[in-house]
Amino acid sequence: MTATDEPDSGGSPVVYDLDSDCTVEDVETGQRYHATVNGVVDYGVFVDLSDSVSGLAHESTYDGSYAVGDDLVVELTELGDQLGETVHVEGEVVQIKQTGGPTIFHVSDETGVIPCAAFEDAGVRAYPEVEIDDVVRVTGMVEERDNALQVEVDSLDVLEGEEAEDVHDRLAAAFEERAEPHDVEPLVEWPALTQMFPDLEEVAKQLRRTVLESRPIRVRHHADGDGMCASIPVQLALEKFIEETHQDPEAKRHLFKRLPSKAPFYEMEDVTRDLNFALEDQARHGQKLPLLLMLDNGSTAEDVPAYKNLAHYDIPIVVVDHHHPDPEAVEPYVDAHVNPYLYDEDYRITTGMMCVELARMIWPDITEELRHVPAVAGISDRSKADAMADYVELAEAEGYEESFLQDVGEALDYEAHWLKYDAGRNLINDVLNVGADSEARHRELVEFLAETAEAEAHLYRIDVENHAHRFTYPAPGKTTGEIHDRKVQETGEPVITIGYGPDFAVLRSDGVRLDIPEMVSELNEEVVGGGVSGGGHLVVGSIKFVPGMREEVLDALVEKMADAELDEELQSTTVGHEQND
Ligand code: MN
């Protein structure tokens, strides 16, 4: 900001006197404000416009001198207008990155995060005494780099004591305010879901605060249709918010990562990989440790060993899931746990439905892009909610007929299967038509994928526990049988259905020549430590195995089934893989 003479003779006649509650959102570039000096430095004066709005008037913009407590009138100028000018930034260091040239300090103040480049010598760490979370005052010239602003550092001082505390308090108050989620009207009137809004708002606030603090966010989501309908909107919302708050064009890539989890829980392999990456990013890029956001996954006792692994580090965990939870096992390890079962609701409220609202609370401007997503999520997870009719209607109003929504769900599941451990970002955005740039390509791609999935694959894997109704223990055989019969009827083609739980699987097949007792004895030999037993008839049966070995056993089982011969009249199709739930 610049100091101006008062009273103003020729320019804007209005000088605003801000209420003490006013925030940085209430002030406007180019307007004039009454201010009070709160500090004097060589190069100018620091002024307060209200309790939370303050700034610096550079000495070049006024004549004479000011003392602490003096009143003056300032005109608000923005960093953006100051390309080529010397500025002063007070804030917290949130990242320190050593490049082959300068050292880049990312400094966070009330308005956002700006990279400040300090050069000691090529590849040599400048200001080695400065650490992450230090409060600093930076003076330097604003320059443009990669279409974004950065400050070329002339001087960088670590603030101590009261001075540091003041800046810290100012920032904390500003963050608290900026982290506030947006009020959104639910997409459909559905009390079962809207009762969860306060919990979802808390999560939205924590995620926004995490972005403001420049802590990276890592999402792990179930690798299926609903998991993608949950994670893609949240990704889009958070990336928009990161773009708004960070000058560094690379911030989006560094601060957000999304990865699918093949197993319906957080596997040791995944957590080890995530932790390893986080520690490497910390060491190599001077980043903070991430927050872990579990979507459509993460609510069960099976996740606890992985959470225990993270508990040794400063890595907060947030879970939004609709799988039958074990709150007592999970909650000691997580900061937030949102799950419909905790409201006496159940699986019919899918994670995609919750996360579309969560994404809108973070960044409401993307609402138009998301109206069809809850319907896809519900169809993918076979939600029996009454609200499905409203969601489908909402999607139809956007030009998505119900059969096409079905195709989108199938295409997502099909791609989830083949992507395996890869996020497949742009591909999935095109399939779901969220953050995609061609509607025509979306249509063609979905039709192609849905057709391909249908022609080659009728092997269904069902997590039967997800289909349990409230207060009733699942009868796995019955649930699997019901779904299987429906699939046989729908497709008129060979179908194998595997309904599985933590330590068992129920098998049903039609039009395929299986020998289940034979497969069981082969699996028992081939999957070491799997403890496979069981049997049944040739084409209907059940197997038991050691709980921790589920993925290995099911993968081996699926491979065997893919090799099975089809009954002759049905040989025009081949058995491949299709994964559901
Ligand atoms: Mn789901």
Side-chain angles (χ1 to χ4, degrees):
M1 49 192 70
T2 57
T4 65
D5 293 328
E6 190 190 11
D8 179 82
S9 47
S12 162
V14 183
V15 177
Y16 295 98
D17 193 3
L18 291 182
D19 189 86
S20 59
D21 293 336
C22 285
T23 69
V24 77
E25 312 234 316
D26 300 314
V27 298
E28 225 178 286
T29 305
Q31 297 296 345
R32 290 157 183 243
Y33 299 93
H34 286 288
T36 307
V37 175
N38 79 6
V40 180
V41 287
D42 289 349
Y43 43 81
V45 290
F46 285 93
V47 295
D48 289 331
L49 279 63
S50 72
D51 284 350
S52 71
V53 183
S54 51
L56 175 96
H58 194 253
E59 47 98 14
S60 64
T61 67
Y62 58 84
D63 294 324
S65 63
Y66 289 98
V68 172
D70 284 354
D71 292 327
L72 75 162
V73 172
V74 296
E75 182 182 322
L76 193 70
T77 53
E78 229 179 332
L79 224 45
D81 296 330
Q82 294 187 326
L83 199 60
E85 287 184 24
T86 297
V87 294
H88 309 272
V89 180
E90 280 186 339
E92 278 173 359
V93 176
V94 293
Q95 188 189 346
I96 304 171
K97 183 167 188 194
Q98 184 58 51
T99 70
T103 308
I104 312 290
F105 297 90
H106 292 258
V107 178
S108 169
D109 74 359
E110 295 98 316
T111 60
V113 179
I114 187 159
C116 300
F119 188 77
E120 179 69 36
D121 213 332
V124 175
R125 168 68 195 267
Y127 300 100
E129 73 282 8
V130 178
E131 292 172 7
I132 285 189
D133 288 336
D134 276 354
V135 175
V136 294
R137 183 180 290 147
V138 179
T139 303
M141 173 122 69
V142 180
E143 54 181 28
E144 205 180 320
R145 199 177 159 77
D146 301 332
N147 295 319
L149 298 178
Q150 79 169 28
V151 174
E152 194 185 321
V153 175
D154 286 333
S155 73
L156 191 155
D157 297 304
V158 176
L159 301 183
E160 308 277 355
E162 214 174 290
E163 234 181 345
E165 234 159 74
D166 281 354
V167 174
H168 182 83
D169 291 351
R170 214 167 73 203
L171 279 182
F175 281 1
E176 200 55 25
E177 188 125 359
R178 294 194 73 188
E180 278 301 324
H182 292 266
D183 272 330
V184 297
E185 283 289 318
L187 285 182
V188 304
E189 275 303 318
W190 189 16
L193 176 59
T194 47
Q195 66 174 332
M196 302 175 70
F197 267 41
D199 269 3
L200 290 170
E201 280 161 0
E202 270 308 305
V203 171
K205 183 169 181 175
Q206 184 167 5
L207 295 176
R208 281 174 64 98
R209 194 192 295 117
T210 302
V211 168
L212 290 169
E213 289 169 353
S214 300
R215 187 196 274 275
I217 294 172
R218 176 172 277 266
V219 170
R220 277 282 179 184
H221 65 87
H222 195 189
D224 73 347
D226 184 44
M228 286 168 169
C229 288
S231 54
I232 299 285
V234 170
Q235 174 168 10
L236 188 62
L238 284 171
E239 286 180 345
K240 298 272 185 194
F241 189 55
I242 292 169
E243 255 170 7
E244 186 193 57
T245 48
H246 288 69
Q247 278 293 335
D248 180 1
E250 297 284 288
K252 230 166 51 173
R253 207 161 51 79
H254 292 144
L255 291 181
F256 187 93
K257 285 197 182 76
R258 169 180 74 80
L259 279 178
S261 273
K262 201 162 163 261
F265 62 93
Y266 198 23
E267 283 183 293
M268 267 308 178
E269 188 182 342
D270 290 344
V271 71
T272 306
R273 199 177 304 206
D274 291 347
L275 188 54
N276 186 38
F277 275 125
L279 294 172
E280 268 180 25
D281 281 346
Q282 188 187 39
R284 294 201 349 229
H285 306 299
Q287 280 193 344
K288 297 185 179 184
L289 290 175
L291 172 143
L292 173 72
L293 176 60
M294 300 288 291
L295 297 179
D296 199 27
N297 220 341
S299 277
T300 69
E302 284 176 290
D303 298 287
V304 169
Y307 292 163
K308 280 186 175 165
N309 199 346
L310 293 182
H312 300 100
Y313 296 89
D314 170 30
I315 299 180
I317 302 169
V318 171
V319 180
V320 182
D321 192 6
H322 71 144
H323 291 85
H324 199 288
D326 303 308
E328 276 159 33
V330 163
E331 284 177 6
Y333 298 95
V334 303
D335 278 48
H337 178 204
V338 183
N339 190 310
Y341 284 93
L342 303 176
Y343 291 84
D344 283 340
E345 276 298 331
D346 62 27
Y347 195 72
R348 68 200 177 114
I349 301 179
T350 75
T351 315
M353 294 169 184
M354 292 186 274
C355 284
V356 162
E357 302 294 9
L358 173 64
R360 297 173 64 228
M361 290 166 185
I362 295 167
W363 197 266
D365 291 356
I366 57 174
T367 296
E368 297 309 312
E369 283 199 66
L370 304 181
R371 289 183 192 279
H372 62 294
V373 176
V376 176
I379 287 170
S380 292
D381 266 4
R382 297 176 196 78
S383 168
K384 290 189 175 126
D386 294 340
M388 273 307 289
D390 294 336
Y391 278 133
V392 169
E393 202 175 300
L394 195 69
E396 279 173 344
E398 302 289 311
Y400 294 86
E401 57 282 29
E402 193 170 352
S403 62
F404 186 72
L405 293 169
Q406 197 102 38
D407 287 350
V408 174
E410 265 166 39
L412 286 176
D413 277 332
Y414 186 64
E415 290 300 63
H417 174 76
W418 291 114
L419 281 166
K420 295 193 164 64
Y421 295 102
D422 199 291
R425 182 194 163 139
N426 298 312
L427 183 58
I428 296 303
N429 287 28
D430 281 344
V431 174
L432 189 54
N433 201 24
V434 171
D437 39 42
S438 165
E439 169 92 24
R441 183 166 58 208
H442 156 69
R443 290 260 160 193
E444 286 164 17
L445 189 62
V446 166
E447 275 158 22
F448 166 76
L449 290 172
E451 241 171 64
T452 312
E454 209 164 298
E456 86 178 28
H458 290 300
L459 178 73
Y460 297 97
R461 290 172 54 148
I462 315 284
D463 184 346
V464 284
E465 288 191 313
N466 293 343
H467 288 263
H469 293 292
R470 262 184 304 159
F471 310 126
T472 59
Y473 189 77
K478 188 162 178 281
T479 311
T480 309
E482 257 173 37
I483 292 169
H484 178 79
D485 292 344
R486 204 168 65 224
K487 287 292 169 190
V488 171
Q489 209 171 23
E490 272 171 27
T491 62
E493 285 165 15
V495 171
I496 301 171
T497 307
I498 307 173
Y500 62 87
D503 60 356
F504 66 87
V506 181
L507 313 176
R508 289 282 309 268
S509 73
D510 265 75
V512 188
R513 287 180 191 162
L514 293 184
D515 184 341
I516 292 173
E518 173 70 21
M519 281 197 305
V520 168
S521 70
E522 284 175 18
L523 287 172
N524 191 357
E525 269 175 42
E526 291 165 21
V527 184
V528 178
V532 178
S533 63
H537 311 284
L538 284 182
V539 295
V540 179
S542 65
I543 63 173
K544 296 272 291 173
F545 43 81
V546 173
M549 293 296 286
R550 175 166 83 187
E551 284 309 297
E552 287 84 346
V553 172
L554 290 184
D555 282 351
L557 179 65
V558 166
E559 237 168 78
K560 290 201 176 301
M561 291 185 157
D563 292 340
E565 275 179 48
L566 303 184
D567 281 347
E568 263 165 37
E569 68 271 27
L570 293 160
Q571 268 185 0
S572 55
T573 54
T574 58
V575 176
H577 299 177
E578 181 168 325
Q579 191 165 339
N580 278 278
D581 287 82

